[in-house]
Amino acid sequence: MALTGIQIFKLLPKTNCKECGVPTCLAFAMNLASGKAELDSCPYVSDEAREKLAEASAPPIRPVKLGKGVRQTTTGGETVLYRHEKTFFNPTILAGTVASDIAAADLEQKLKIYNAFQYERVGLNLRPELLVVKDAGAGADAFAATAKCIAETSEFNLVLMTEDLDVMKAGIAAAGFKRPLLYAATEANVDDMGALAKENDLPLAVKADSIDALMPLTEKLTGMGLKDLVIDSGAREIKQALEDQVGIRRAALKAGNKALGFPTITFPCEMASNLDMETVIAAMFVAKYGGIVVMSDFAAESLFPLLLERLNIFTDPQRPMTVTEGIFEIGNPDENSPVVVTTNFALTYFIVSGEIEGSKVPCWLLIKDSEGLSVLTAWAAGKFGGDDVGMFVKKCGIMDKVKHTELIIPGYAAAIAGDVEEELPGWTITVGPREAAHLPAFLKTK
Amino acid sequence: MGFELTKESYAGGIKAVTIGKGDNALTIGGQTCYPFYQFEGEMPGKPIIAMEIWDMEPEEWPAAAMAPFKDVLGDPVAWAKKCIDDFGAQLIVLQLKSIDPNDKDRSPEDAAALVKKVVDAIDVPLIVWGCASPAKDEDVLKAVAEACQGENLILGPVEEKNHKGIGAAAMGYGHAIISSSPIDVNLAKQVNILLENLGIPLDKVLVDPTTGGLGYGLEYTYSVMERLSMAAMAQGDDKLQNPMINNLANEVWKCKEVKQTAEEAPELGDPERRGILMEAVGAVSYFMAGSDIMIMRHPEAIKLAKAFVDLICD
Ligand code: B12
Ligand code: SF4
């Protein structure tokens, strides 16, 4: 539970030394309570107070850091049930599975293929982040060798999946440096697995066969001092799995249930018999609260739709993704190159600039601030009208860069052509195609 | 202490809307809980997939979408029958693409005659979807309503601009309608209120929240659907308790990544499966947001979406 300003004030030094930037400790406490200040701004809080404050301000669902390196991620840390209430913070992590007995050459080949599954979109790199090394009963050495190869030769982070303590130890020895998730502590091995995770300071997944059975296990583990837990309610049937995901999320956010305040791990790979069906089940978990989604395999056709869905669901609904207003040079344009205008919605920019690049026709792309709205939306909302587009073209400085006087506007904005013309006397306003996909052919005729 | 699920307290449910007639009628909606949350309410009917057919041969569909229908693409009646006989469609959507005034501009009379032919040839309910040009849709859907009197079709999209004409015709000739607004709770409510003022009972109305494609605005539609469900059920707003419909196929199959060939985009994998899975994943996302009718295209995507619905409902 969050503390009030007065409760926080009681934990501060009360010297009013002003180093935090406000005149009194009380003022600072008030700012902390309302989220306007960071505790670190006061150099004098005692460790004890710091711990109390951290505990009290701990998020209802623990953010758990997984892995190391460029594909390091965090799961959990969510604060709402519905994305429109604020936003979802940490995108569902996508994991593939590798059996511990895979032949070295096959693994190398597989990693090469998996590594290529990366997609640029709206300035982001979309890609999966985890591989599960699944104990296939081939012994500790095979398990360690597979984990080591993935950890050392790929960017992927790992889940070490075995309930055998010795096998897990071997896996940790080989790949522990990459902060793998250990899967899993169960009722049968909870003490030993807990100790192992603690000793190596690694995140630990907890598996039970119901939410009911899960709670005593997480309580025991937090009692041992473990914080970074990931939970699996054991449901492998879709209907129950959805109920559990919703139940866990609500318990943490609405009922303050600390025993369930952790991200979840889910297994479409154990819920379907083919990758297509796994993919649609994974789609459910991306929307409804899966922290980690484990697939049996990765294929471009199944990953790409899930990555798009994830991008959409985890976009901040309060701030459309935008690019800055201005002139973008695509492919070294010169004074005769076409001038194209569109809005500053990141998706629109991404699509249009991609098509222009693909056309190999160097262009000046003018991005007009339209508050992050797409062409039609911006036009309908009055943020991409003829007057403002014309004014913007005048002011942005493009006239010093080109000798010609032709402006290409989006096909969907054909209605503004007349007004732009009025604002830009002497210019020819050319209405481009509606879909950006037709831009290359169009530009080539220029 | 055992775990007890924190339940949502609902103040209302979604109206049940019946479409089609006689033995072939279908009831849509009627749920008293958020999508698939059967642990705290009822979902009497499963969400339904409507298979789309076009009134003209599509010119820009990717090969993967054309292949299953290649022998019927120019013949809406045969196309509809194929959807029902070969792919088990429970519901057909006839997309009136050819009436677009900026394109083929087919006349209301011709369009109505075609709809009549299709309706007479099939034994499942029919949705008739206009071209989203409000004035033309009004002319055409009025003619369709009259030509198909008593069939209990679903006519849409109906917007603020054309609600009077289409609404009156639907009422007069016995059809249900789709109330449409651009991704906005207040606008959705406004159109429904206008329809009600006209005398249309809201249990003859489906809501089209406007559908964004996967990777192309899905998140906006997704959230507005969740907000509509909350308004309807948690807040009990009786002006928004309508089943929702998503015109999904159109959005998914027009995007660039679905059209790219294996040569153009080797990193995206097999073009056919890619399109199928993009449609199926889009469908599941919208089912999770509360969709009651999903308009879909590819038989394989439909199979997957249907398998998902069956698994999660039963
Ligand atoms: C998502 C969405 C929204 C989101 C906003 C998303 C955003 N950031 O823009 C929200 C929910 C906020 C929204 C709001 C509104 N929306 Co809206 N929205 C949509 C939706 C579903 C998708 C838009 C989108 O993201 N497209 C993707 C982007 C990439 O498309 P784009 O920018 O147009 O770019 C494409 C082309 O234009 C082209 N292109 C782009 N630039 C250039 C440049 C050149 C030179 C060329 C050649 C081509 C080109 O390339 C791209 C790909 O082909 C559409 C309907 C639909 N399915 O398309 C309605 C739609 C655009 N919205 C509409 C409306 C009316 C509105 C509102 C005014 C409703 C209202 N009264 O409140 C508001 C206005 C916003 C406001 N006041 O803040 C209408 C517009 C109707 C019209 N014809 O004028 C639409 C068409 C829905 C409809 N059928 O009624 N909307
Ligand atoms: S820095 Fe710390 S001790 Fe000094 S005024 Fe601020 S809160 Fe008080």
Side-chain angles (χ1 to χ4, degrees), chain A residues 96-114 131-151 153 158 296-298:
Chain A
T97 308
V98 176
S100 64
D101 60 356
I102 187 171
D106 293 348
L107 179 57
E108 194 185 323
Q109 176 66 17
K110 204 176 229 232
L111 289 175
K112 207 177 277 166
I113 296 171
Y114 285 179
L131 287 177
V132 175
V133 181
K134 184 176 179 181
D135 186 357
D141 292 347
F143 190 83
T146 301
K148 186 175 155 83
C149 175
I150 296 171
T153 68
L158 294 102
S296 62
D297 193 7
F298 288 145

mmCIF file of all heavy atoms in Angstrom, chain A residues 96-114 131-151 153 158 296-298:
data_model
loop_
_atom_site.group_PDB
_atom_site.id
_atom_site.type_symbol
_atom_site.label_atom_id
_atom_site.label_comp_id
_atom_site.label_asym_id
_atom_site.label_seq_id
_atom_site.Cartn_x
_atom_site.Cartn_y
_atom_site.Cartn_z
ATOM 1 N N GLY A 96 10.926 -19.537 -27.250
ATOM 2 C CA GLY A 96 10.876 -20.776 -28.027
ATOM 3 C C GLY A 96 11.486 -21.888 -27.191
ATOM 4 O O GLY A 96 12.012 -21.634 -26.108
ATOM 5 N N THR A 97 11.406 -23.118 -27.686
ATOM 6 C CA THR A 97 11.901 -24.246 -26.892
ATOM 7 C C THR A 97 12.980 -25.019 -27.648
ATOM 8 O O THR A 97 12.847 -25.263 -28.847
ATOM 9 C CB THR A 97 10.739 -25.219 -26.561
ATOM 10 O OG1 THR A 97 9.674 -24.469 -25.981
ATOM 11 C CG2 THR A 97 11.182 -26.291 -25.592
ATOM 12 N N VAL A 98 14.026 -25.384 -26.920
ATOM 13 C CA VAL A 98 15.078 -26.234 -27.481
ATOM 14 C C VAL A 98 15.262 -27.417 -26.533
ATOM 15 O O VAL A 98 15.407 -27.230 -25.323
ATOM 16 C CB VAL A 98 16.409 -25.452 -27.588
ATOM 17 C CG1 VAL A 98 17.524 -26.354 -28.063
ATOM 18 C CG2 VAL A 98 16.260 -24.248 -28.494
ATOM 19 N N ALA A 99 15.236 -28.623 -27.067
ATOM 20 C CA ALA A 99 15.430 -29.799 -26.214
ATOM 21 C C ALA A 99 16.902 -29.936 -25.859
ATOM 22 O O ALA A 99 17.779 -29.646 -26.679
ATOM 23 C CB ALA A 99 14.939 -31.052 -26.922
ATOM 24 N N SER A 100 17.180 -30.380 -24.653
ATOM 25 C CA SER A 100 18.576 -30.424 -24.186
ATOM 26 C C SER A 100 19.409 -31.424 -24.980
ATOM 27 O O SER A 100 20.623 -31.355 -24.975
ATOM 28 C CB SER A 100 18.621 -30.782 -22.698
ATOM 29 O OG SER A 100 18.120 -32.091 -22.499
ATOM 30 N N ASP A 101 18.759 -32.367 -25.676
ATOM 31 C CA ASP A 101 19.544 -33.374 -26.396
ATOM 32 C C ASP A 101 19.757 -33.011 -27.876
ATOM 33 O O ASP A 101 20.134 -33.854 -28.668
ATOM 34 C CB ASP A 101 18.878 -34.750 -26.283
ATOM 35 C CG ASP A 101 17.469 -34.759 -26.864
ATOM 36 O OD1 ASP A 101 16.985 -33.668 -27.295
ATOM 37 O OD2 ASP A 101 16.840 -35.831 -26.892
ATOM 38 N N ILE A 102 19.519 -31.776 -28.225
ATOM 39 C CA ILE A 102 19.706 -31.369 -29.621
ATOM 40 C C ILE A 102 21.183 -31.506 -30.019
ATOM 41 O O ILE A 102 22.084 -31.222 -29.209
ATOM 42 C CB ILE A 102 19.211 -29.919 -29.831
ATOM 43 C CG1 ILE A 102 19.231 -29.536 -31.320
ATOM 44 C CG2 ILE A 102 20.041 -28.929 -29.017
ATOM 45 C CD1 ILE A 102 18.545 -28.204 -31.616
ATOM 46 N N ALA A 103 21.415 -31.948 -31.236
ATOM 47 C CA ALA A 103 22.805 -32.088 -31.708
ATOM 48 C C ALA A 103 23.411 -30.707 -31.914
ATOM 49 O O ALA A 103 22.704 -29.765 -32.299
ATOM 50 C CB ALA A 103 22.818 -32.868 -33.021
ATOM 51 N N ALA A 104 24.697 -30.580 -31.633
ATOM 52 C CA ALA A 104 25.362 -29.275 -31.679
ATOM 53 C C ALA A 104 25.159 -28.575 -33.021
ATOM 54 O O ALA A 104 24.867 -27.374 -33.072
ATOM 55 C CB ALA A 104 26.857 -29.438 -31.381
ATOM 56 N N ALA A 105 25.282 -29.340 -34.100
ATOM 57 C CA ALA A 105 25.159 -28.733 -35.431
ATOM 58 C C ALA A 105 23.735 -28.226 -35.660
ATOM 59 O O ALA A 105 23.514 -27.154 -36.230
ATOM 60 C CB ALA A 105 25.539 -29.739 -36.506
ATOM 61 N N ASP A 106 22.757 -29.009 -35.185
ATOM 62 C CA ASP A 106 21.363 -28.598 -35.348
ATOM 63 C C ASP A 106 21.089 -27.315 -34.558
ATOM 64 O O ASP A 106 20.360 -26.434 -35.002
ATOM 65 C CB ASP A 106 20.408 -29.693 -34.850
ATOM 66 C CG ASP A 106 20.467 -30.928 -35.727
ATOM 67 O OD1 ASP A 106 21.060 -30.829 -36.830
ATOM 68 O OD2 ASP A 106 19.957 -31.981 -35.310
ATOM 69 N N LEU A 107 21.678 -27.265 -33.376
ATOM 70 C CA LEU A 107 21.458 -26.083 -32.537
ATOM 71 C C LEU A 107 22.041 -24.842 -33.206
ATOM 72 O O LEU A 107 21.417 -23.785 -33.257
ATOM 73 C CB LEU A 107 22.086 -26.290 -31.145
ATOM 74 C CG LEU A 107 21.949 -25.106 -30.189
ATOM 75 C CD1 LEU A 107 20.497 -24.712 -29.972
ATOM 76 C CD2 LEU A 107 22.614 -25.431 -28.832
ATOM 77 N N GLU A 108 23.227 -25.017 -33.737
ATOM 78 C CA GLU A 108 23.884 -23.886 -34.394
ATOM 79 C C GLU A 108 23.022 -23.360 -35.541
ATOM 80 O O GLU A 108 22.797 -22.165 -35.691
ATOM 81 C CB GLU A 108 25.239 -24.366 -34.931
ATOM 82 C CG GLU A 108 26.165 -23.244 -35.322
ATOM 83 C CD GLU A 108 27.445 -23.787 -35.963
ATOM 84 O OE1 GLU A 108 27.937 -24.848 -35.503
ATOM 85 O OE2 GLU A 108 27.913 -23.166 -36.926
ATOM 86 N N GLN A 109 22.492 -24.305 -36.316
ATOM 87 C CA GLN A 109 21.628 -23.967 -37.441
ATOM 88 C C GLN A 109 20.372 -23.245 -36.957
ATOM 89 O O GLN A 109 19.954 -22.217 -37.490
ATOM 90 C CB GLN A 109 21.275 -25.283 -38.159
ATOM 91 C CG GLN A 109 20.313 -25.149 -39.308
ATOM 92 C CD GLN A 109 20.943 -24.359 -40.457
ATOM 93 O OE1 GLN A 109 22.162 -24.202 -40.500
ATOM 94 N NE2 GLN A 109 20.111 -23.840 -41.348
ATOM 95 N N LYS A 110 19.780 -23.785 -35.902
ATOM 96 C CA LYS A 110 18.550 -23.245 -35.350
ATOM 97 C C LYS A 110 18.774 -21.810 -34.864
ATOM 98 O O LYS A 110 17.963 -20.914 -35.119
ATOM 99 C CB LYS A 110 18.120 -24.128 -34.175
ATOM 100 C CG LYS A 110 16.633 -24.065 -33.877
ATOM 101 C CD LYS A 110 16.291 -25.054 -32.772
ATOM 102 C CE LYS A 110 15.172 -25.856 -33.149
ATOM 103 N NZ LYS A 110 14.064 -26.334 -32.943
ATOM 104 N N LEU A 111 19.877 -21.600 -34.174
ATOM 105 C CA LEU A 111 20.147 -20.264 -33.635
ATOM 106 C C LEU A 111 20.313 -19.253 -34.755
ATOM 107 O O LEU A 111 19.893 -18.099 -34.654
ATOM 108 C CB LEU A 111 21.395 -20.277 -32.746
ATOM 109 C CG LEU A 111 21.219 -21.000 -31.405
ATOM 110 C CD1 LEU A 111 22.547 -21.072 -30.653
ATOM 111 C CD2 LEU A 111 20.168 -20.321 -30.540
ATOM 112 N N LYS A 112 20.917 -19.720 -35.827
ATOM 113 C CA LYS A 112 21.109 -18.834 -36.972
ATOM 114 C C LYS A 112 19.742 -18.405 -37.529
ATOM 115 O O LYS A 112 19.505 -17.242 -37.826
ATOM 116 C CB LYS A 112 21.929 -19.566 -38.054
ATOM 117 C CG LYS A 112 22.716 -18.599 -38.926
ATOM 118 C CD LYS A 112 23.576 -19.321 -39.949
ATOM 119 C CE LYS A 112 24.918 -19.803 -39.405
ATOM 120 N NZ LYS A 112 25.568 -20.772 -40.312
ATOM 121 N N ILE A 113 18.857 -19.373 -37.638
ATOM 122 C CA ILE A 113 17.516 -19.067 -38.159
ATOM 123 C C ILE A 113 16.753 -18.158 -37.191
ATOM 124 O O ILE A 113 16.195 -17.134 -37.584
ATOM 125 C CB ILE A 113 16.719 -20.370 -38.394
ATOM 126 C CG1 ILE A 113 17.390 -21.207 -39.479
ATOM 127 C CG2 ILE A 113 15.279 -20.061 -38.764
ATOM 128 C CD1 ILE A 113 16.827 -22.599 -39.637
ATOM 129 N N TYR A 114 16.764 -18.526 -35.928
ATOM 130 C CA TYR A 114 16.033 -17.734 -34.926
ATOM 131 C C TYR A 114 16.558 -16.303 -34.866
ATOM 132 O O TYR A 114 15.808 -15.348 -34.674
ATOM 133 C CB TYR A 114 16.158 -18.362 -33.529
ATOM 134 C CG TYR A 114 15.312 -19.595 -33.308
ATOM 135 C CD1 TYR A 114 15.353 -20.270 -32.083
ATOM 136 C CD2 TYR A 114 14.467 -20.092 -34.298
ATOM 137 C CE1 TYR A 114 14.585 -21.391 -31.842
ATOM 138 C CE2 TYR A 114 13.701 -21.228 -34.072
ATOM 139 C CZ TYR A 114 13.762 -21.873 -32.841
ATOM 140 O OH TYR A 114 13.007 -22.991 -32.606
ATOM 141 N N LEU A 131 14.848 -18.360 -25.018
ATOM 142 C CA LEU A 131 14.778 -19.761 -25.415
ATOM 143 C C LEU A 131 14.737 -20.609 -24.148
ATOM 144 O O LEU A 131 15.487 -20.365 -23.206
ATOM 145 C CB LEU A 131 15.990 -20.158 -26.262
ATOM 146 C CG LEU A 131 15.992 -19.608 -27.699
ATOM 147 C CD1 LEU A 131 17.290 -20.005 -28.417
ATOM 148 C CD2 LEU A 131 14.785 -20.126 -28.473
ATOM 149 N N VAL A 132 13.836 -21.571 -24.164
ATOM 150 C CA VAL A 132 13.732 -22.493 -23.045
ATOM 151 C C VAL A 132 14.585 -23.711 -23.372
ATOM 152 O O VAL A 132 14.404 -24.324 -24.419
ATOM 153 C CB VAL A 132 12.267 -22.951 -22.857
ATOM 154 C CG1 VAL A 132 12.175 -24.015 -21.775
ATOM 155 C CG2 VAL A 132 11.381 -21.761 -22.537
ATOM 156 N N VAL A 133 15.534 -24.035 -22.499
ATOM 157 C CA VAL A 133 16.254 -25.294 -22.662
ATOM 158 C C VAL A 133 15.503 -26.319 -21.836
ATOM 159 O O VAL A 133 15.409 -26.215 -20.614
ATOM 160 C CB VAL A 133 17.709 -25.197 -22.160
ATOM 161 C CG1 VAL A 133 18.418 -26.528 -22.371
ATOM 162 C CG2 VAL A 133 18.435 -24.086 -22.884
ATOM 163 N N LYS A 134 14.936 -27.285 -22.535
ATOM 164 C CA LYS A 134 14.061 -28.237 -21.866
ATOM 165 C C LYS A 134 14.791 -29.553 -21.655
ATOM 166 O O LYS A 134 15.306 -30.152 -22.597
ATOM 167 C CB LYS A 134 12.820 -28.448 -22.745
ATOM 168 C CG LYS A 134 11.794 -29.344 -22.124
ATOM 169 C CD LYS A 134 10.563 -29.409 -23.022
ATOM 170 C CE LYS A 134 9.546 -30.347 -22.396
ATOM 171 N NZ LYS A 134 8.358 -30.449 -23.232
ATOM 172 N N ASP A 135 14.840 -29.973 -20.415
ATOM 173 C CA ASP A 135 15.513 -31.222 -20.062
ATOM 174 C C ASP A 135 14.823 -32.394 -20.758
ATOM 175 O O ASP A 135 13.674 -32.705 -20.474
ATOM 176 C CB ASP A 135 15.457 -31.393 -18.534
ATOM 177 C CG ASP A 135 16.261 -32.600 -18.073
ATOM 178 O OD1 ASP A 135 16.801 -33.321 -18.946
ATOM 179 O OD2 ASP A 135 16.346 -32.808 -16.847
ATOM 180 N N ALA A 136 15.557 -33.029 -21.687
ATOM 181 C CA ALA A 136 14.960 -34.132 -22.422
ATOM 182 C C ALA A 136 15.421 -35.458 -21.816
ATOM 183 O O ALA A 136 15.321 -36.506 -22.445
ATOM 184 C CB ALA A 136 15.338 -34.053 -23.890
ATOM 185 N N GLY A 137 15.992 -35.394 -20.621
ATOM 186 C CA GLY A 137 16.426 -36.618 -19.953
ATOM 187 C C GLY A 137 17.762 -37.149 -20.465
ATOM 188 O O GLY A 137 18.096 -38.307 -20.282
ATOM 189 N N ALA A 138 18.524 -36.272 -21.121
ATOM 190 C CA ALA A 138 19.794 -36.725 -21.682
ATOM 191 C C ALA A 138 20.960 -36.457 -20.736
ATOM 192 O O ALA A 138 22.124 -36.541 -21.108
ATOM 193 C CB ALA A 138 20.036 -36.038 -23.021
ATOM 194 N N GLY A 139 20.641 -36.060 -19.500
ATOM 195 C CA GLY A 139 21.698 -35.880 -18.507
ATOM 196 C C GLY A 139 22.155 -34.434 -18.367
ATOM 197 O O GLY A 139 21.830 -33.569 -19.185
ATOM 198 N N ALA A 140 22.920 -34.214 -17.297
ATOM 199 C CA ALA A 140 23.351 -32.860 -16.943
ATOM 200 C C ALA A 140 24.313 -32.276 -17.975
ATOM 201 O O ALA A 140 24.264 -31.088 -18.276
ATOM 202 C CB ALA A 140 24.003 -32.861 -15.561
ATOM 203 N N ASP A 141 25.165 -33.104 -18.538
ATOM 204 C CA ASP A 141 26.168 -32.577 -19.469
ATOM 205 C C ASP A 141 25.531 -32.026 -20.737
ATOM 206 O O ASP A 141 25.873 -30.950 -21.213
ATOM 207 C CB ASP A 141 27.179 -33.667 -19.837
ATOM 208 C CG ASP A 141 28.048 -34.038 -18.638
ATOM 209 O OD1 ASP A 141 28.011 -33.263 -17.647
ATOM 210 O OD2 ASP A 141 28.720 -35.079 -18.684
ATOM 211 N N ALA A 142 24.605 -32.823 -21.271
ATOM 212 C CA ALA A 142 23.927 -32.368 -22.488
ATOM 213 C C ALA A 142 23.173 -31.076 -22.216
ATOM 214 O O ALA A 142 23.210 -30.121 -23.012
ATOM 215 C CB ALA A 142 22.961 -33.440 -22.988
ATOM 216 N N PHE A 143 22.499 -31.013 -21.085
ATOM 217 C CA PHE A 143 21.727 -29.831 -20.713
ATOM 218 C C PHE A 143 22.649 -28.608 -20.630
ATOM 219 O O PHE A 143 22.377 -27.550 -21.205
ATOM 220 C CB PHE A 143 21.060 -30.083 -19.351
ATOM 221 C CG PHE A 143 20.041 -29.040 -18.953
ATOM 222 C CD1 PHE A 143 18.736 -29.097 -19.420
ATOM 223 C CD2 PHE A 143 20.389 -28.007 -18.080
ATOM 224 C CE1 PHE A 143 17.788 -28.147 -19.035
ATOM 225 C CE2 PHE A 143 19.458 -27.055 -17.698
ATOM 226 C CZ PHE A 143 18.156 -27.125 -18.169
ATOM 227 N N ALA A 144 23.775 -28.812 -19.956
ATOM 228 C CA ALA A 144 24.720 -27.698 -19.783
ATOM 229 C C ALA A 144 25.302 -27.263 -21.116
ATOM 230 O O ALA A 144 25.431 -26.065 -21.396
ATOM 231 C CB ALA A 144 25.834 -28.104 -18.825
ATOM 232 N N ALA A 145 25.615 -28.236 -21.968
ATOM 233 C CA ALA A 145 26.233 -27.901 -23.252
ATOM 234 C C ALA A 145 25.274 -27.070 -24.108
ATOM 235 O O ALA A 145 25.666 -26.085 -24.740
ATOM 236 C CB ALA A 145 26.641 -29.173 -23.985
ATOM 237 N N THR A 146 24.006 -27.468 -24.109
ATOM 238 C CA THR A 146 23.011 -26.737 -24.898
ATOM 239 C C THR A 146 22.828 -25.314 -24.356
ATOM 240 O O THR A 146 22.840 -24.340 -25.103
ATOM 241 C CB THR A 146 21.672 -27.508 -24.890
ATOM 242 O OG1 THR A 146 21.900 -28.802 -25.423
ATOM 243 C CG2 THR A 146 20.629 -26.797 -25.720
ATOM 244 N N ALA A 147 22.709 -25.229 -23.028
ATOM 245 C CA ALA A 147 22.539 -23.912 -22.408
ATOM 246 C C ALA A 147 23.744 -23.021 -22.688
ATOM 247 O O ALA A 147 23.613 -21.832 -23.006
ATOM 248 C CB ALA A 147 22.332 -24.066 -20.905
ATOM 249 N N LYS A 148 24.915 -23.612 -22.600
ATOM 250 C CA LYS A 148 26.139 -22.850 -22.798
ATOM 251 C C LYS A 148 26.233 -22.312 -24.224
ATOM 252 O O LYS A 148 26.566 -21.144 -24.450
ATOM 253 C CB LYS A 148 27.333 -23.774 -22.521
ATOM 254 C CG LYS A 148 28.701 -23.106 -22.538
ATOM 255 C CD LYS A 148 29.748 -24.150 -22.111
ATOM 256 C CE LYS A 148 31.129 -23.842 -22.636
ATOM 257 N NZ LYS A 148 31.881 -22.887 -21.852
ATOM 258 N N CYS A 149 25.894 -23.169 -25.170
ATOM 259 C CA CYS A 149 25.966 -22.742 -26.568
ATOM 260 C C CYS A 149 25.021 -21.561 -26.819
ATOM 261 O O CYS A 149 25.403 -20.572 -27.445
ATOM 262 C CB CYS A 149 25.631 -23.923 -27.474
ATOM 263 S SG CYS A 149 25.554 -23.454 -29.214
ATOM 264 N N ILE A 150 23.810 -21.655 -26.311
ATOM 265 C CA ILE A 150 22.851 -20.562 -26.513
ATOM 266 C C ILE A 150 23.343 -19.292 -25.816
ATOM 267 O O ILE A 150 23.345 -18.202 -26.390
ATOM 268 C CB ILE A 150 21.452 -20.954 -25.977
ATOM 269 C CG1 ILE A 150 20.890 -22.132 -26.770
ATOM 270 C CG2 ILE A 150 20.499 -19.763 -26.042
ATOM 271 C CD1 ILE A 150 19.624 -22.731 -26.194
ATOM 272 N N ALA A 151 23.806 -19.463 -24.589
ATOM 273 C CA ALA A 151 24.228 -18.299 -23.800
ATOM 274 C C ALA A 151 25.424 -17.608 -24.433
ATOM 275 O O ALA A 151 25.507 -16.386 -24.447
ATOM 276 C CB ALA A 151 24.554 -18.728 -22.368
ATOM 277 N N THR A 153 26.740 -18.086 -27.697
ATOM 278 C CA THR A 153 26.829 -17.765 -29.129
ATOM 279 C C THR A 153 25.621 -17.005 -29.668
ATOM 280 O O THR A 153 25.595 -16.668 -30.837
ATOM 281 C CB THR A 153 27.004 -19.050 -29.978
ATOM 282 O OG1 THR A 153 25.796 -19.802 -29.896
ATOM 283 C CG2 THR A 153 28.163 -19.887 -29.495
ATOM 284 N N LEU A 158 17.794 -17.085 -21.488
ATOM 285 C CA LEU A 158 17.357 -18.463 -21.298
ATOM 286 C C LEU A 158 16.382 -18.686 -20.160
ATOM 287 O O LEU A 158 16.366 -17.954 -19.170
ATOM 288 C CB LEU A 158 18.578 -19.353 -20.998
ATOM 289 C CG LEU A 158 19.589 -19.515 -22.107
ATOM 290 C CD1 LEU A 158 20.774 -18.630 -21.825
ATOM 291 C CD2 LEU A 158 19.987 -20.950 -22.235
ATOM 292 N N SER A 296 6.525 -23.958 -28.789
ATOM 293 C CA SER A 296 7.391 -25.109 -29.036
ATOM 294 C C SER A 296 8.517 -24.751 -29.990
ATOM 295 O O SER A 296 9.592 -25.319 -29.952
ATOM 296 C CB SER A 296 6.576 -26.276 -29.596
ATOM 297 O OG SER A 296 6.010 -25.900 -30.835
ATOM 298 N N ASP A 297 8.241 -23.762 -30.862
ATOM 299 C CA ASP A 297 9.205 -23.440 -31.903
ATOM 300 C C ASP A 297 8.929 -22.013 -32.374
ATOM 301 O O ASP A 297 7.868 -21.471 -32.080
ATOM 302 C CB ASP A 297 8.996 -24.425 -33.074
ATOM 303 C CG ASP A 297 10.131 -24.387 -34.077
ATOM 304 O OD1 ASP A 297 11.145 -23.702 -33.825
ATOM 305 O OD2 ASP A 297 9.996 -25.050 -35.130
ATOM 306 N N PHE A 298 9.870 -21.440 -33.090
ATOM 307 C CA PHE A 298 9.617 -20.153 -33.730
ATOM 308 C C PHE A 298 9.556 -20.356 -35.239
ATOM 309 O O PHE A 298 10.381 -21.066 -35.805
ATOM 310 C CB PHE A 298 10.773 -19.168 -33.481
ATOM 311 C CG PHE A 298 10.854 -18.631 -32.080
ATOM 312 C CD1 PHE A 298 12.103 -18.374 -31.510
ATOM 313 C CD2 PHE A 298 9.719 -18.335 -31.344
ATOM 314 C CE1 PHE A 298 12.202 -17.842 -30.225
ATOM 315 C CE2 PHE A 298 9.808 -17.807 -30.067
ATOM 316 C CZ PHE A 298 11.058 -17.566 -29.510
#
